[in-house]
Amino acid sequence: MSNVAFIGLGVMGYSMAGYISKAGHNVTVYNRTAAKADKWVAEYKGSKADTPAKATEGADFIFTCVGNDNDLREVTFGGNGIFKAIKKGSVYIDNTTASATIAREIYTHSIKSEFGFLDAPVSGGQAGAENGALTVMIGGDQANFDKAKDIIDCYSKKMKLLGGAGNGQLAKMVNQICIAGLVQGLSEAINFGKKAGLNMEDVIEVISKGAAQSWQMENRYKTMIDDQFEFGFAVDWMRKDLKIAMDEAKNNDSKLPVTEIVDKYYGEVQDMGGNRWDTSSLIKRLSK
C-alpha cells in the first residue's frame, strides 16, 4: 500500500479521500478548516497534517481537490504548499476543476522538480463522490497515469487519459458546456409541459426511454417537478466552471453562444438567492 496525501476535504474530496483510505492506503489529509480534517480522521483510518507541505512529506501520491486556480496555487506554490515537501518520483494528481493554464504551469514545474503530475478533474457530483463512482478526465504523461491509475480507481467508475497536460481540464470544460445546455433544455421542457397541463412524471417516464434521455433527465426531473434544488452541484460552482470554459474559448477562438446565455441565466438564479441551489434550479427563473 502507498503513502497518500489528500489536500481539500470539501463535498467531493472528503469522500474521495475516504475511498482511498478504505482501499488500505496510508492517507494523511489537510483541510483549510481543521475541524473538517478532524471529522474525517474520526470517520476514516488516517491522520491529519497542519499544512499541505506537512501532509506531503513522504507521500508517494498527492491529491488536491480545492476551489479554483487561486486556491490551487496557494496549496502548491505557496509558502506551506506541497511543492515545499514533494519528493522526487512521486505523482501529484489534481482533481480541482481549474484552468488548463495552471495545469500546464504545474506540469512544467513537475518536470523541473522530477515528480509526476496529472490534471484530473472529476464529474459525477457529490453523489458520485459519496458512491465512489466519479468520472475522471485526465491530462498528462502515460507513465504517470500508469503509476497512479490504481489509486484513482479507488473513487472512480471511469477514467481516461486524454492527452497531454491540460487536456483533463479542457475535457471538463466540454463536460460543463454539455451540462449547461442540457439543463436549460430540460428546464424549458418541464416548464412547458406543466403549463400545458401534462402529468410530467408520466411524460418523462416515456421520453426518458427515447432520444431525449440524459443523466440530467433521469436524476433531476423529479426534484425539478417538485421544486426542490438541494441535490448536488451548486450554481456558484457551475458559474465558476463556465467562466473557465468561456475564458478558454477566447483562447481557441471557439463560439459558445448557448453557454454564454445559460451562464447569464444562472446569474439570475443567484440574484434570486439560489447560489447554493443545484444546477437544475434553472427552471426556477422560468416560473418566477
Side-chain angles (χ1 to χ4, degrees):
M1 294 294 104
S2 301
N3 293 323
V4 177
F6 203 106
I7 315 301
L9 301 175
V11 295
M12 304 295 286
Y14 190 95
S15 296
M16 293 161 69
Y19 274 101
I20 296 171
S21 175
K22 286 179 180 179
H25 299 286
N26 179 29
V27 180
T28 302
V29 299
Y30 167 81
N31 193 66
R32 187 161 47 189
T33 304
K36 195 71 173 287
D38 290 333
K39 180 183 177 184
W40 188 92
V41 170
E43 184 174 348
Y44 298 103
K45 185 178 179 181
S47 58
K48 74 164 191 172
D50 294 331
T51 67
K54 285 288 187 183
T56 302
E57 290 177 358
D60 305 302
F61 298 94
I62 305 95
F63 289 82
T64 50
C65 190
V66 295
N68 54 38
D69 281 26
N70 290 336
D71 296 327
L72 185 56
R73 193 175 298 281
E74 179 182 345
V75 300
T76 53
F77 292 102
N80 292 309
I82 65 176
F83 294 161
K84 299 298 182 184
I86 195 166
K87 69 178 184 179
K88 293 181 180 181
S90 62
V91 181
Y92 165 37
I93 304 100
D94 177 39
N95 297 127
T96 308
T97 295
S99 70
T101 299
I102 195 168
R104 294 176 184 130
E105 182 180 344
I106 292 172
Y107 175 76
T108 298
H109 180 78
S110 75
I111 297 297
K112 294 176 182 176
S113 300
E114 299 181 50
F115 64 88
F117 173 67
L118 301 170
D119 56 289
V122 299
S123 181
Q126 185 174 348
E130 291 174 351
N131 293 320
L134 293 168
T135 297
V136 192
M137 296 148 275
I138 302 172
D141 297 337
Q142 184 71 51
N144 292 320
F145 174 76
D146 290 342
K147 280 186 184 180
K149 62 183 179 181
D150 288 343
I151 302 281
I152 297 171
D153 190 54
C154 294
Y155 57 77
S156 72
K157 68 174 181 180
K158 175 66 178 180
M159 73 178 90
K160 191 170 183 65
L161 183 64
L162 299 167
N167 280 16
Q169 296 296 351
L170 292 172
K172 181 62 183 287
M173 295 173 209
V174 172
N175 186 80
Q176 301 305 74
I177 291 166
C178 290
I179 290 172
L182 284 169
V183 175
Q184 178 61 21
L186 182 59
S187 298
E188 293 180 13
I190 291 174
N191 185 66
F192 171 88
K194 289 173 70 174
K195 288 186 177 296
L198 294 170
N199 181 320
M200 284 309 296
E201 293 200 26
D202 289 345
V203 172
I204 297 292
E205 179 185 345
V206 175
I207 68 172
S208 66
K209 308 307 177 189
Q213 188 275 337
S214 69
W215 186 98
Q216 298 293 331
M217 178 180 288
E218 293 278 4
N219 290 275
R220 292 289 177 262
Y221 84 91
K222 183 71 166 60
T223 53
M224 292 171 76
I225 292 170
D226 292 342
D227 199 38
Q228 298 176 353
F229 307 105
E230 309 300 326
F231 303 94
F233 198 67
V235 168
D236 281 351
W237 302 339
M238 187 59 157
R239 288 208 80 192
K240 183 266 289 186
D241 290 0
L242 293 181
K243 183 180 186 305
I244 291 171
M246 291 186 291
D247 287 346
E248 185 65 34
K250 296 174 184 175
N251 293 333
N252 67 21
D253 196 31
S254 56
K255 308 301 181 186
L256 299 178
V258 173
T259 302
E260 291 173 2
I261 291 169
V262 175
D263 177 62
K264 291 176 183 176
Y265 290 165
Y266 276 125
E268 293 180 22
V269 174
Q270 289 175 320
D271 292 340
M272 296 167 63
N275 302 66
R276 303 298 294 180
W277 293 345
D278 71 60
T279 52
S280 68
S281 59
L282 277 177
I283 194 172
K284 288 284 283 185
R285 58 171 295 281
L286 297 175
S287 56
K288 66 180 179 178

